[in-house]
Amino acid sequence: MRKTRRILFLFLIYFFIGIQSVFAVSVTIDPVISPISTEPFELTVTVTGAKTGTNYLRADIFKEETTDYFGETFTGSEWYNGEDGTHYFPINLITDTPAIATISARLSSIPANWSQSDHFIARVRRYTASGNYTGSEASASAIPITILIPTPTPTLVPTSTPPILSPSAPPYLPISSSPPPVSNIYITELLPFPDNSNEWIELYNNNEYEVVLNSWFIDDGEDSGSSPKIFSITIPGKSYRVVDLSTPIFNNNGDIVRLLDANVNEKDSFTYTTTSRGQSIGRNDILNHATCIQVPSKGSTNNSCLLSASSATSISDTGEVFGIDDKTAGEIETENTSSLSKPEYQAQTKQEFNNPGKKSLNDQLQEEELIQPQISNVFDISIKTGTTSTFFISLLNISFILCKMVLRPYD
């Protein structure tokens, strides 16, 4: 009887041990052959013996015989190394079916006390849906890995001994850390009142070499309400380039034109006080900033003057009149001064500037425009008085005015 009880007891012990081994969960990692650095790497993990459900896998990297765990695990949407076990890489498990997953891990940084001679370990923690894991299970999954420890670069201490230069060697020239400031760039022509087109600005590079205008600005008067227009352009030496404006900025009845560099420093400007539809405002000479109305010569040498850009009025082809002062074609504005001139413009001044004592056809036509209202005034007086004598006197006055117009010779 006592022998039978002993056999039964041993049977029960082996039975429960067998059941425990059947339901034990194991986590294994495939060997990692390549050395690991701070770049992401992959671990192939096999989970067996777990029940159906979703578990979560976390990679640990640590130095042998320490418990300082490093590394981050990719959750599927981000890199994570926090305390929430259910936030790590998910793996779906089925009872009695091994599950294989590949997880991505990385060392965001390598501790300063690690060296190439140290031994390193990788292991995987398996978190259940409740956020718990078994330490012995994680330790059983550990495998050795190799980590590439970067060699610190020694800091070079400059020697106090000056270098020995050969007598024939050229002198040392320091290299500037930033390009020299750009200068000698001028506004030479402007179309402020376009006819079925956009406004544009013509720039001239008065240097012998190419310049790059990066993030420069075109603007009108400072704090005048319009936003500066940013642009970038390359201009060869002694050449023109045009900046087309997508939206208007300049006034038709006069404005200030300014060229600003990337630091919003003014590089050039001029003022005009009258415009004509479809005609440009051009500079006669960079030296004195004289401006006049011209036939547009977009991107090339300016044409001859039609009318000063500072005259009293200018009548467009649609009959619109613009102008704000009483200056004539011979009065030149010098809102700015410059030490350099544009050679191409010096021979293109208006004939009146070279011969101020000789009347031009344009001046004579303007005088005739003044005479025509006089004739109209005479008829108005005769109609209002209603007398025959007044009417004949009016006819004599008209005859005198017409004779003056016919007999006056044109120059």
Side-chain angles (χ1 to χ4, degrees), residues 172-243:
Y172 172 74
L173 297 177
I175 300 176
S176 175
S177 59
S178 60
V182 178
S183 59
N184 297 333
I185 307 300
Y186 300 97
I187 305 170
T188 51
E189 193 173 0
L190 162 73
L191 185 66
F193 190 14
D195 187 6
N196 300 322
S197 64
N198 292 334
E199 295 178 352
W200 51 261
I201 303 287
E202 180 189 79
L203 304 178
Y204 180 70
N205 176 15
N206 200 39
N207 298 293
E208 298 291 343
Y209 49 85
E210 178 183 276
V211 296
V212 178
L213 311 183
N214 190 22
S215 298
W216 281 41
F217 299 91
I218 295 293
D219 197 10
D220 57 355
E222 186 174 2
D223 299 328
S224 61
S226 299
S227 299
K229 306 299 182 183
I230 188 170
F231 70 96
S232 297
I233 197 171
T234 300
I235 310 179
K238 298 295 182 179
S239 299
Y240 303 90
R241 286 295 182 269
V242 174
V243 179

Side-chain angles (χ1 to χ4, degrees), residues 160-356:
S160 58
T161 304
I164 300 175
L165 299 179
S166 170
S168 60
Y172 172 74
L173 297 177
I175 300 176
S176 175
S177 59
S178 60
V182 178
S183 59
N184 297 333
I185 307 300
Y186 300 97
I187 305 170
T188 51
E189 193 173 0
L190 162 73
L191 185 66
F193 190 14
D195 187 6
N196 300 322
S197 64
N198 292 334
E199 295 178 352
W200 51 261
I201 303 287
E202 180 189 79
L203 304 178
Y204 180 70
N205 176 15
N206 200 39
N207 298 293
E208 298 291 343
Y209 49 85
E210 178 183 276
V211 296
V212 178
L213 311 183
N214 190 22
S215 298
W216 281 41
F217 299 91
I218 295 293
D219 197 10
D220 57 355
E222 186 174 2
D223 299 328
S224 61
S226 299
S227 299
K229 306 299 182 183
I230 188 170
F231 70 96
S232 297
I233 197 171
T234 300
I235 310 179
K238 298 295 182 179
S239 299
Y240 303 90
R241 286 295 182 269
V242 174
V243 179
D244 290 289
L245 304 181
S246 58
T247 56
I249 183 176
F250 299 111
N251 297 323
N252 295 338
N253 61 343
D255 211 334
I256 300 174
V257 189
R258 299 193 302 149
L259 175 65
L260 312 176
D261 65 11
N263 297 320
V264 199
N265 298 316
E266 183 175 300
K267 307 301 288 187
D268 189 31
S269 68
F270 70 76
T271 299
Y272 66 92
T273 56
T274 186
T275 62
S276 179
R277 180 188 290 272
Q279 304 298 327
S280 65
I281 306 296
R283 295 269 280 272
N284 294 325
D285 192 337
I286 298 176
L287 182 62
N288 58 20
H289 286 211
T291 61
C292 65
I293 296 177
Q294 307 171 354
V295 175
S297 58
K298 187 177 182 180
S300 60
T301 303
N302 286 13
N303 292 315
S304 300
C305 295
L306 300 177
L307 184 67
S308 171
S310 57
S311 64
T313 58
S314 175
I315 303 177
S316 68
D317 53 3
T318 60
E320 299 170 277
V321 179
F322 299 98
I324 60 174
D325 64 14
D326 297 326
K327 297 179 182 178
T328 63
E331 295 175 329
I332 305 301
E333 290 198 10
T334 56
E335 302 293 337
N336 247 332
T337 58
S338 172
S339 60
L340 295 174
S341 63
K342 180 178 174 184
E344 290 86 350
Y345 287 174
Q346 293 178 347
Q348 297 184 15
T349 55
K350 193 178 179 183
Q351 180 180 3
E352 287 84 346
F353 297 160
N354 296 329
N355 300 280

Side-chain angles (χ1 to χ4, degrees), residues 40-51:
F41 61 93
E42 293 182 344
L43 295 174
T44 302
V45 182
T46 303
V47 180
T48 57
K51 295 181 181 180

